[in-house]
Amino acid sequence: MKVLVLGGDGFCGWPTSLHLSDLGHDVTIVDNLSRREIDLELEVESLTPIRPIGERLRVWKQLTGKEITFVHLDLAEEYDRLEALLLEVRPDAIVHFGEQRAAPYSMRNSVAKRYTVDNNVRATHNVLVAIATSGLDIALVHLGTMGVYGYGWSGSAPIPEGYLTVKVPTPDGDIEREILHPANPGSVYHMTKTLDQLLFAFYCANDQLRITDLHQGIVWGTQTPQTVLDERLINRFDYDGDYGTVLNRFLMQAAIGHPLTVHGTGGQTRAFIHIRDTVRCIQIALENPPERGEKVKVFNQVTETHRLRELAEMISKFTGVDIAYLPNPRREAAENELNVSREQFLALGLNPTKLSEGLLEEARDIAMRYKDRADTTKIIARSTWRAGMETSPDLVKG
Ligand code: NAD
Ligand code: USQ
């Protein structure tokens, strides 16, 4: 299969590109390297020493003989080049990771809010228009988020995979309708993903595009069987207050003896998935696309759920590091329940990596190994949802 991986230099996109190439697919990465530029803007680097994209691809070819093409292109700004690329490559499928993905960064200031909306919504819309205009039968797999549902909207009722059946009262009695699950975004970033959903519904109905939207939980872990082959293929590991996601942050904090930064009471329950399962889920989604004329296919890409303070307690117990309960810089409920339906991927053969199994390996091979690269001034989350919600000063020990 010919596959374009949009955002293929990023945390999820890079290991996915290698996984698909390893399976024998003909992969082209499209990326504008904006994530690397944001590292420069934030004056922070991946904990792991990621190599330039050209070197990554040369090493992959030396090791495996497999070629991945790279196209430097801005999906939001360079529509004509994108349309021409589709006609030139004629891909069977596109995997779309190419968006600004950090909730805290999207709330940082007015520039970041506007950039996130402009970048994400335009990128997704351009991809849809280019597919429709090309006249090619290209299946699209998009990386969405569990955050489109919100946290705690439906109490303990299971969150369905995308659609909700509702009863609509009419003078002749109730009628049943299936609707997209109501959107309840908790950040500007999450809001862009809810807008993406409407774009997909429209282009699916109007142009019969074949679209799969993966509502993914928080990805943890770093390496996959391909990225581990050579240190120059290593995946990125974000630990800073804007881009670092919670579990990887806790592991890195434990490695350097920094108190675990739990926001508020740690009562938020979130959904998680290991990066190894992310790449398998993308493969499964590519192998099971919707038919033409079928509605957007939605999968909840989640393997387990955990309450944050329980995660912190588990890591504290096994490393001896303290827990710091900080004022929450975000606007989110103190506690929430999260019960997620996730039958589809399991039915299609996903065999998940459990947190209890992967944690030790991640702590030893990544957090401990690269801890000397950490800049401790970048740990505390400083982007706040509203003015006046600032968190505490740095908590670095020693
Ligand atoms: P990332 O920031 O590491 O990767 C995104 C990549 O897209 C980067 O390489 C960036 O340079 C590129 N990009 C951004 N805007 C672009 C544009 N206009 N044109 C071309 N390239 C562009 O993010 P990630 O963690 O790999 O996430 C990938 C996708 O998965 C995102 O859409 C994110 O919303 C979703 N997701 C991520 C997680 C997670 O925990 N990391 C969880 C759920 C969903
Ligand atoms: N949190 C802490 N301490 C920290 C960092 C975070 O307690 O040091 C808390 C946050 O307040 C929040 C939760 O942990 O309640 C999750 O935060 P996160 O930064 O790990 O994840 P989030 O902002 O939700 O975003 C990440 C990805 C995003 C993806 C999303 C999936 O960056 O791209 O869409 O996970 S989901 O959470 O399911 O919406």
Side-chain angles (χ1 to χ4, degrees), residues 8 22 61 71 116 152 158 173 232 253 255 262 282 315 320 326 334 369 377:
D22 205 28
K61 186 161 182 212
V71 179
T116 303
R232 293 168 294 172
Q253 292 163 2
V262 172
I282 308 283
I315 293 171
L326 303 176
R369 178 146 180 227
T377 67

Side-chain angles (χ1 to χ4, degrees), residues 41-42 103-110 112-113 242 382-384:
E41 173 197 336
L42 299 177
Y105 184 81
S106 78
M107 301 302 289
R108 189 176 169 78
N109 53 36
S110 55
K113 285 179 188 175
D242 274 350
R382 298 191 194 281
S383 293
T384 57

Side-chain angles (χ1 to χ4, degrees), residues 20 47-48 50 61 64 70 82 105-106 109 122 170 172 183 198 213 217 232 244 257 259 261 266 284 287 298 303 333:
L20 296 177
L47 189 74
T48 48
I50 54 170
K61 186 161 182 212
T64 64
F70 172 64
L82 175 63
Y105 184 81
S106 78
N109 53 36
R122 287 178 71 193
T170 77
D172 305 322
L198 295 181
D213 200 6
R232 293 168 294 172
T261 55
I284 292 171
E287 289 167 356
V298 180
T303 56

Side-chain angles (χ1 to χ4, degrees), residues 12 95-99 101 124 141-149 151 189-190 192-194 196-197 200 212-219 273 278 282 297-302:
C12 298
V95 186
H96 176 25
F97 295 101
E99 298 183 75
R101 72 103 176 127
T124 298
V141 174
H142 170 256
L143 268 291
T145 173
M146 278 302 295
V148 295
Y149 302 116
Y151 291 100
Y189 153 71
H190 286 101
T192 66
K193 294 285 182 177
T194 70
D196 284 348
Q197 287 188 281
F200 296 143
T212 304
D213 200 6
L214 303 175
H215 291 179
Q216 187 171 234
I218 300 170
V219 183
I273 182 166
T278 290
I282 308 283
K297 208 167 183 173
V298 180
F299 291 83
N300 289 340
Q301 192 162 309
V302 164

Side-chain angles (χ1 to χ4, degrees), residues 112-124:
K113 285 179 188 175
R114 291 172 53 242
Y115 164 70
T116 303
V117 171
D118 292 349
N119 186 63
N120 294 4
V121 179
R122 287 178 71 193
T124 298

Side-chain angles (χ1 to χ4, degrees), residues 100-104 144-148 151 187 189-190 193 216-219 241-247 249-250 253 260-264 266 268 270-272 302 308 328-330 332 379 381 385:
Q100 192 299 101
R101 72 103 176 127
T145 173
M146 278 302 295
V148 295
Y151 291 100
S187 71
Y189 153 71
H190 286 101
K193 294 285 182 177
Q216 187 171 234
I218 300 170
V219 183
D242 274 350
Y243 275 88
T245 49
V246 65
L247 181 51
R249 271 165 66 75
F250 285 173
Q253 292 163 2
L260 306 180
T261 55
V262 172
H263 294 164
Q268 278 276 317
R270 292 291 175 120
F272 292 87
V302 164
L308 299 177
N328 197 338
R330 306 186 186 200
E332 52 190 10
I379 292 178
W385 265 231

Side-chain angles (χ1 to χ4, degrees), residues 59-71:
V59 172
W60 179 245
K61 186 161 182 212
Q62 276 163 20
L63 290 177
T64 64
K66 295 181 167 150
E67 188 141 17
I68 297 179
T69 309
F70 172 64
V71 179

